[in-house]
Amino acid sequence: MTDATQAAVAAPGWHLLSQGASSAAARTDTLFLAMVLLCGGMALLIGGLLLFLCIRYREGSKADRSSPSNDSHPLEIAWTVAPVLVFIGVFWWAAHDWWIERTVPDGAMVVQVVGKQWMWHLQHANGRREINALHVPLGRPVVLTMASQDAIHSFFVPAFRLKQDVVPGRITRFSFTATRLGEFHIFCAEYCGSEHSAMVGTLTVMPPAAFSRWLEAGPHEPGVVQQGFALFRDAGCSGCHGAASTVPAPPLGGLYGSTVRLADGRTLRADDDYLRDAIVLPRKDVVAGYPPVMPSYAGRLDESQLQALIAWMRAGAPSLPDAEDLR
Ligand code: CUA
């Protein structure tokens, strides 16, 4: 670590929460503080009134009990409507923050995450792999696309206020921008078996130039998109989906992000989850105009291979004639 990084890590002072280090942290902390103040204020108000009324109307006290008011419609309406408005406001606030975190900014750097008992496998777009570690540049949006090989895991970086379940059978995502240099804990936050507590790692935020050097240094495989194209050819997909195929199968170029009409009349957006399902559960959403002849690839491709295929389609399903040389 450089001196500048050290200085940023060793921030002085006492903190109730670990200091935030991502774009989501300030938003989450503000919402959390507002909730604590709201709930704390209500608890104090209710507790205080309870205590006050207990003392005032204790047995034998001389308080005036002559005209108890039993029903007051304005009062009942007020104490019903006011909390409802507050709850809706809090919901709207949280949903707004959630939406920002799920919206992937343009130009975001995609990192694939696969959780398995009991480690985190990560892969950058250029093919560089990491285990129980993630390096990201300062100030650049990053999106994690996450899948699980076995149980439900949860990718948790407390300093980033980032916690996302990693669920078998689907792809979950989370985007963030690191705002502070340093090293931060990664935990698994969902009990996933005997070594769940050992499923930890380190997230390192680096200056952009140092990150570029790090990304290019060290062993890396062909990029993820090239891996996807190689799988498209080697796993048999190209036999039907290739340009020269005579089998009627939907073309894959331009598919990602488009709207797909299905045989049963529904329409779907071709996102990560749709494409994953199309590969492992091909009978679930059959595309209109094509016979349901695709075999399932469940068990034949692992999660990182599925992610590579999807990354290739996300890149527009290009033909990459030199992929063979890169393998
Ligand atoms: Cu993986 Cu807990």
Side-chain angles (χ1 to χ4, degrees):
M1 251 190 288
T2 63
D3 290 348
T5 316
Q6 288 283 14
V9 176
W14 182 86
H15 302 281
L16 191 58
L17 297 166
S18 61
Q19 264 193 304
S22 82
S23 52
R27 279 194 301 273
T28 306
D29 289 354
T30 310
L31 177 62
F32 182 67
L33 181 67
M35 294 286 288
V36 168
L37 292 177
L38 185 67
C39 298
M42 283 307 290
L44 282 179
L45 179 69
I46 293 168
L49 277 173
L50 193 67
L51 199 62
F52 168 74
L53 295 171
C54 281
I55 293 168
R56 184 179 159 95
Y57 293 104
R58 70 191 182 280
E59 190 178 357
S61 78
K62 299 205 163 33
D64 178 17
R65 293 175 169 89
S66 57
S67 59
S69 95
N70 281 331
D71 54 341
S72 159
H73 289 292
L75 186 63
E76 286 181 19
I77 289 170
W79 79 40
T80 305
V81 171
V84 166
L85 291 180
V86 170
F87 291 151
I88 290 175
V90 170
F91 172 80
W92 182 87
W93 184 353
H96 172 260
D97 287 0
W98 186 90
W99 191 254
I100 292 176
E101 278 148 28
R102 260 75 188 166
T103 307
V104 178
D106 289 339
M109 186 183 104
V110 181
V111 181
Q112 294 179 2
V113 180
V114 176
K116 59 194 265 187
Q117 290 167 324
W118 288 272
M119 59 180 73
W120 298 107
H121 280 256
L122 298 101
Q123 191 172 24
H124 293 265
N126 76 343
R128 176 141 196 197
R129 290 172 186 273
E130 304 193 68
I131 290 179
N132 292 339
L134 171 59
H135 289 73
V136 296
L138 184 73
R140 172 155 177 215
V142 175
V143 55
L144 306 180
T145 63
M146 305 192 267
S148 167
Q149 200 97 303
D150 36 50
I152 300 178
H153 305 276
S154 183
F155 194 88
F156 181 32
V157 186
F160 281 37
R161 313 293 188 262
L162 182 169
K163 186 192 272 179
Q164 173 62 57
D165 276 9
V166 181
V167 184
R170 68 156 93 161
I171 294 172
T172 49
R173 342 173 101 205
F174 199 101
S175 69
F176 64 87
T177 303
T179 54
R180 215 150 58 78
L181 296 172
E183 294 186 349
F184 306 95
H185 291 294
I186 299 171
F187 295 108
C188 179
E190 184 72 50
Y191 181 69
C192 55
S194 59
E195 288 171 49
H196 154 73
S197 61
M199 201 168 158
V200 296
T202 305
L203 195 161
T204 307
V205 181
M206 308 172 86
F211 174 77
S212 299
R213 284 195 298 277
W214 175 88
L215 193 61
E216 291 309 320
H220 50 80
E221 302 195 7
V224 171
V225 174
Q226 278 98 335
Q227 291 173 35
F229 177 66
L231 281 165
F232 169 72
R233 249 184 359 194
D234 301 347
C237 319
S238 60
C240 299
H241 293 278
S245 163
T246 53
V247 180
L252 302 181
L255 173 61
Y256 191 92
S258 68
T259 302
V260 179
R261 179 168 291 283
L262 303 181
D264 59 11
R266 286 178 298 142
T267 52
L268 282 175
R269 208 175 88 85
D271 58 8
D272 291 9
D273 271 318
Y274 166 77
L275 294 171
R276 189 187 179 288
D277 283 353
I279 298 168
V280 298
L281 300 168
R283 301 296 157 89
K284 183 176 163 222
D285 301 311
V286 177
V287 180
Y290 292 95
V293 294
M294 166 142 169
S296 169
Y297 280 76
R300 293 170 63 186
L301 298 171
D302 66 24
E303 291 299 331
S304 56
Q305 291 175 316
L306 288 170
Q307 291 220 24
L309 270 172
I310 292 166
W312 170 69
M313 288 188 265
R314 197 186 297 129
S319 285
L320 300 167
D322 57 347
E324 196 66 61
D325 310 334
L326 290 159
R327 294 180 76 233

